[in-house]
């Protein structure tokens, strides 16, 4: 069973602070996705990382895939209230289809 | 807007009843996935269809069934509903079953409340 462990589970910070969210597993992944979800809405795909050591930037968000493709991190610089939401990492299970296995998520609250 | 549509947005029903949730995938996507999200379980994979055929099953109860039609839209049928079935149900779609990087695009979800 491939499990994705996210930490921290909850994070409450002030506007302007930096933060990092982690996604770890003992399994090697062919790719890993990060999603952001707001209450009552569907997850929105932020980024896909594929290559070990890969770094992708999306405005103030920086995503990194571990060298061994077992872990990933999401760093947000100068967080804003609009960044508030549930951040989920997910990885496809390539056997019999491509179902996504999700981490439990990090609930981020950015206070003005 | 992901391009995936789901109806209805909200559904309130009673225990023992049967409901049908509908999903239309993004244009060009052949795979449809159904997920259940509850407070204590997170996002759980239920079932996948690819071009009309069942491709993978997850933690889907026997009371639940799904199908994908020739026009690629999908329906999730939930029967003999129990209080514990109350959850958000999401549909997602992707280009293929084993193609690409596993990216899936999610619909806005159906919130099911069983009273």
């Amino acid at each position: 069973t491939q499990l994705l462990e996210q930490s921290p589970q909850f994070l409450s910070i002030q506007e302007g602070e930096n933060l990092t969210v982690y996604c770890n597993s003992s399994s090697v992944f062919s790719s890993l996705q990060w999603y952001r979800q707001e209450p009552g809405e569907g997850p929105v795909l932020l980024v896909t990382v594929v290559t070990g050591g890969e770094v992708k930037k999306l405005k103030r968000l920086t995503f990194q895939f571990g060298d061994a493709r077992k872990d990933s991190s999401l760093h947000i610089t100068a967080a804003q209230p609009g960044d508030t939401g549930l951040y989920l990492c997910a990885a496809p299970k390539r056997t019999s289809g491509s179902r996504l296995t999700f981490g439990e998520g990090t609930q981020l609250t950015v206070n003005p | 807007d992901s391009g995936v549509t789901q109806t209805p947005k909200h559904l309130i029903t009673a225990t023992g009843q049967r409901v049908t949730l509908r999903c239309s995938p993004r244009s060009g996507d052949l795979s449809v996935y159904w997920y259940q999200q509850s407070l204590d379980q997170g996002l759980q994979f239920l079932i996948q269809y690819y071009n009309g055929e069942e491709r993978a099953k997850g933690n889907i109860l026997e009371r639940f069934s799904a199908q994908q039609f020739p026009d690629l839209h999908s329906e999730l049928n939930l029967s003999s509903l129990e209080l514990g079935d109350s959850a958000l149900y999401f549909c997602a779609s992707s280009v293929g079953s084993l193609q690409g990087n596993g990216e899936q695009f999610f619909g806005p979800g159906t919130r099911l409340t069983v009273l």
Side-chain angles (χ1 to χ4, degrees):
Chain A
T1 303
Q2 62 179 44
L3 295 174
L4 290 169
E5 295 182 355
Q6 283 189 244
S7 61
Q9 191 174 358
F10 298 96
L11 193 53
S12 180
I13 62 172
Q14 294 300 120
E15 183 175 0
E17 293 183 359
N18 301 331
L19 67 114
T20 302
V21 174
Y22 299 92
C23 177
N24 297 296
S25 177
S26 58
S27 301
V28 177
F29 299 112
S30 58
S31 66
L32 188 141
Q33 285 88 45
W34 284 94
Y35 290 82
R36 178 169 168 267
Q37 185 180 20
E38 297 197 33
E41 299 182 8
V44 176
L45 179 64
L46 296 174
V47 78
T48 298
V49 286
V50 178
T51 306
E54 181 177 8
V55 176
K56 281 192 173 180
K57 292 191 175 184
L58 185 66
K59 296 183 181 178
R60 294 175 293 98
L61 277 61
T62 301
F63 304 86
Q64 185 162 9
F65 203 13
D67 291 341
R69 290 186 288 127
K70 291 183 177 182
D71 55 86
S72 181
S73 64
L74 158 60
H75 182 79
I76 301 179
T77 304
Q80 299 177 2
D83 295 326
T84 294
L86 180 66
Y87 289 82
L88 297 156
C89 64
K93 183 173 181 179
R94 289 299 190 176
T95 55
S96 64
S98 291
R99 69 180 76 178
L100 287 177
T101 298
F102 283 86
E104 292 187 353
T106 294
Q107 181 60 55
L108 171 66
T109 303
V110 182
N111 303 297
Chain B
D1 185 357
S2 67
V4 178
T5 61
Q6 286 187 251
T7 57
K9 181 70 172 173
H10 300 279
L11 201 48
I12 301 175
T13 188
T15 54
Q17 294 298 305
R18 172 190 170 94
V19 297
T20 297
L21 282 54
R22 182 188 169 102
C23 166
S24 292
R26 293 188 318 162
S27 176
D29 284 358
L30 298 179
S31 267
V32 169
Y33 309 78
W34 286 96
Y35 293 86
Q36 179 191 57
Q37 187 177 38
S38 56
L39 285 176
D40 58 345
Q41 291 284 331
L43 266 163
Q44 299 290 319
F45 168 76
L46 295 177
I47 196 165
Q48 177 200 358
Y49 278 80
Y50 174 74
N51 204 21
E53 294 187 0
E54 181 183 305
R55 184 56 59 97
K57 262 187 175 180
N59 301 321
I60 188 167
L61 300 172
E62 286 190 6
R63 300 183 285 108
F64 296 1
S65 64
Q67 54 185 328
Q68 186 179 27
F69 295 87
D71 66 352
L72 300 177
H73 91 270
S74 178
E75 293 181 356
L76 178 66
N77 301 295
L78 314 177
S79 61
S80 302
L81 285 167
E82 302 176 358
L83 295 176
D85 297 328
S86 296
L88 277 165
Y89 291 84
F90 291 105
C91 168
S93 73
S94 68
V95 172
S97 183
L98 294 175
Q99 300 167 18
N101 296 323
E103 294 178 340
Q104 295 180 17
F105 298 87
F106 284 76
T110 293
R111 179 177 291 281
L112 173 66
T113 302
V114 182
L115 301 175

